[in-house]
Amino acid sequence: MKQFFWNKILNRVGVIRLLLLFTLSQANGNDTLLSPPSSQGNIISVGIITPEMPIGNEVVIGKVNKSEKKMGDSHFKGMVGNAINLDHTIVQSFEDSYITPFYESHNYENYSGILKPKLFLKPVIKSLNLELQGGKLLKSLSGKCNISCTWNIYTANDKNKIISTININSMVERKEENYELILHTLIRQSAKDLLAIDTLHNYFEQLQLKYLAETVGAKLVVKGAKANDALTKKEAFKLAKDAAVTISTQNGFGSGVIITNDGYIITNHHVVADSGEIKVRFNNGTEFNAKLIKSNPDFDVALIKIESKTDKLMSFGKDDNISEGDQVYAIGTPLDKSLNQTVTGGIVSGKREINNISMIQTDVTLNEGNSGGPVINETGEILGIATMKLSGAGIEGIGFCIPSGVVIKALNLELLN
């Protein structure tokens, strides 16, 4: 499967910047960014769409030494700058905030759905009003610069439909010896003023949660397994290993877990996405074809099904009952198919929020191929589905799984016992 990377993790308490490798148990890599929680709460990934500036060339946008300047004045236009070159400046403007910015031009299909932006921002520059004085060079110009900018908000599933707009009017007092293009200075100030809205974080969270709630699809009723408290730990682990499967596609392999007698299997979306033929192999070597029933890329979960009856299945535990320090185990097929149903143990390190999606952090060893496999408690119940880990120089034991309750909600499953 594919690999994903955290370009940098910013420690906003101090000034530490670490380059970390973010592995999603897949085989090819792309860069991505994730930041830790800020004082304002949950970090929100936001895509930045290239700005527009629908100001005609004949529109007066200000004065230089009391002489009117139009947008199309060639020499002056070079000092103002062009909207299509503002992406990098905008991304930089958001980096030390609760917004994790992504360029729209990134190939988001190669990112984990959990990390991908659910919301997108597109600045539209409505007007400029510049009152400058100085010489003919950009560095000599000083004075007041005003910008009126509308920040349009879209969701990831329709970047043509504006769901909300925020109008920001900003002013910058430009000083001499400033070599930055005027438009870059102004858009940075507009982004800063946008972030200064004290209700913005909560508003973005509500939009993000609404989007996530709309991704779950129609309800699917399945008959799940009953918890069996009478099993010994040895018996529970034997059943768990038999219920864990290896999932192979043209893109590689991952893991999964059987949750019903009639062959429904939970795994990660990225394990089976765009995969064509899906093969499922049991612990005893038996192999079946599977079909994709339902998938939620934003939560990185999927439901597949084989046409076979089995009594090797696992029940979901209640992830809200777990606490830091609780013992947990991961079952999967790490690194090579010959290592199928490998069990690794560790503890729950914490509970995290990534893009308003609850995650369980654990120090259980996860490797390529573990994606989609169950993370269980000592009675063999599914507490979560392994999805990703951090690795790199000096980094050990930071893995994440999707809690069982989140998996069920993301696929809109109703489990009958």
Side-chain angles (χ1 to χ4, degrees):
M1 301 283 137
K2 303 172 184 174
Q3 281 182 336
F4 295 85
F5 302 84
W6 272 329
N7 263 356
K8 51 188 173 181
I9 289 183
L10 307 180
N11 183 339
R12 294 184 180 131
V13 177
V15 293
I16 302 171
R17 289 178 179 244
L18 300 175
L19 291 177
L20 297 177
L21 171 65
F22 175 57
T23 305
L24 250 160
S25 302
Q26 297 187 310
N28 298 313
N30 284 283
D31 288 335
T32 186
L33 179 77
L34 185 69
S35 304
S38 72
S39 59
Q40 289 159 297
N42 180 40
I43 291 295
I44 299 172
S45 296
V46 176
I48 305 300
I49 301 175
T50 299
E52 287 185 7
M53 187 165 60
I55 302 175
N57 286 335
E58 297 303 311
V59 175
V60 175
I61 60 170
K63 296 179 180 179
V64 176
N65 297 323
K66 299 184 179 181
S67 175
E68 286 189 346
K69 295 295 180 181
K70 296 180 179 179
M71 191 68 207
D73 290 349
S74 57
H75 176 68
F76 188 56
K77 191 172 185 178
M79 298 181 184
V80 173
N82 196 312
I84 64 173
N85 297 321
L86 292 176
D87 299 53
H88 182 64
T89 299
I90 296 170
V91 167
Q92 283 185 323
S93 301
F94 288 124
E95 279 187 345
D96 291 321
S97 73
Y98 55 81
I99 288 178
T100 295
F102 288 75
Y103 294 104
E104 184 201 16
S105 57
H106 280 164
N107 181 6
Y108 291 106
E109 293 307 312
N110 290 328
Y111 284 81
S112 163
I114 293 170
L115 300 179
K116 281 196 297 189
K118 321 303 180 197
L119 303 177
F120 282 78
L121 278 175
K122 180 179 182 179
V124 179
I125 300 165
K126 298 291 189 178
S127 66
L128 299 173
N129 186 12
L130 314 175
E131 294 291 335
L132 300 168
Q133 53 274 333
K136 295 183 178 181
L137 299 178
L138 176 64
K139 69 174 184 177
S140 68
L141 294 179
S142 63
K144 292 182 178 180
C145 301
N146 294 274
I147 183 172
S148 177
C149 185
T150 296
W151 293 81
N152 293 332
I153 306 173
Y154 307 79
T155 59
N157 58 2
D158 190 349
K159 286 183 278 184
N160 294 312
K161 181 182 178 181
I162 300 172
I163 62 168
S164 184
T165 60
I166 301 174
N167 297 311
I168 300 292
N169 296 315
S170 301
M171 191 276 287
V172 172
E173 187 73 39
R174 182 180 174 83
K175 306 296 183 182
E176 291 185 10
E177 299 302 317
N178 184 350
Y179 292 84
E180 185 175 57
L181 295 177
I182 296 169
L183 199 53
H184 288 253
T185 302
L186 285 172
I187 200 69
R188 182 178 287 108
Q189 184 63 46
S190 184
K192 181 179 178 180
D193 292 341
L194 176 70
L195 288 167
I197 300 173
D198 58 5
T199 58
L200 185 68
H201 181 271
N202 182 64
Y203 184 53
F204 275 0
E205 278 201 319
Q206 295 308 308
L207 292 176
Q208 193 178 59
L209 287 169
K210 183 175 184 295
Y211 168 84
L212 290 171
E214 294 171 351
T215 66
V216 303
K219 180 178 288 186
L220 180 63
V221 180
V222 297
K223 189 173 182 180
K226 293 182 179 180
N228 190 344
D229 296 331
L231 294 178
T232 65
K233 182 177 178 181
K234 184 176 181 180
E235 291 169 336
F237 273 56
K238 175 63 168 64
L239 179 60
K241 288 190 67 172
D242 287 340
V245 297
T246 302
I247 299 172
S248 301
T249 73
Q250 63 185 10
N251 299 322
F253 68 93
S255 302
V257 59
I258 305 167
I259 62 166
T260 71
N261 289 109
D262 54 349
Y264 281 101
I265 297 169
I266 297 286
T267 186
N268 285 146
H269 167 79
H270 76 257
V271 170
V272 294
D274 303 318
S275 58
E277 187 177 59
I278 303 171
K279 295 281 189 181
V280 171
R281 192 178 73 185
F282 281 53
N283 191 23
N284 63 8
T286 307
E287 191 168 84
F288 298 91
N289 290 321
K291 61 179 179 179
L292 179 62
I293 302 299
K294 195 173 185 181
S295 187
N296 190 326
D298 289 288
F299 287 85
D300 195 24
V301 290
L303 185 71
I304 63 175
K305 189 177 187 299
I306 58 173
E307 294 304 321
S308 178
K309 300 290 184 179
T310 177
D311 60 354
K312 309 299 184 184
L313 60 152
M314 293 177 63
S315 63
F316 283 98
K318 294 183 178 180
D319 60 83
D320 53 354
N321 290 338
I322 66 173
S323 303
E324 292 182 12
D326 284 355
Q327 189 75 36
V328 289
Y329 305 86
I331 305 176
T333 307
L335 301 176
D336 190 275
K337 291 181 184 179
S338 64
L339 299 176
N340 59 304
Q341 284 70 41
T342 294
V343 180
T344 55
I347 62 168
V348 172
S349 307
K351 295 182 178 181
R352 310 296 180 201
E353 290 282 329
I354 300 175
N355 265 345
N356 272 313
I357 298 175
S358 297
M359 303 290 286
I360 298 171
Q361 181 182 330
T362 175
D363 66 353
V364 171
T365 300
L366 300 175
N367 289 291
E368 292 182 17
N370 273 115
S371 283
V375 174
I376 66 174
N377 59 19
E378 293 191 325
T379 61
E381 294 177 314
I382 304 168
L383 295 180
I385 298 297
T387 186
M388 56 194 180
K389 74 168 184 177
L390 279 175
S391 63
I395 306 300
E396 294 181 7
I398 304 179
F400 295 90
C401 67
I402 310 162
S404 58
V406 174
V407 172
I408 293 169
K409 288 180 181 178
L411 293 171
N412 202 0
L413 298 180
E414 182 178 342
L415 291 168
L416 303 178
N417 294 322

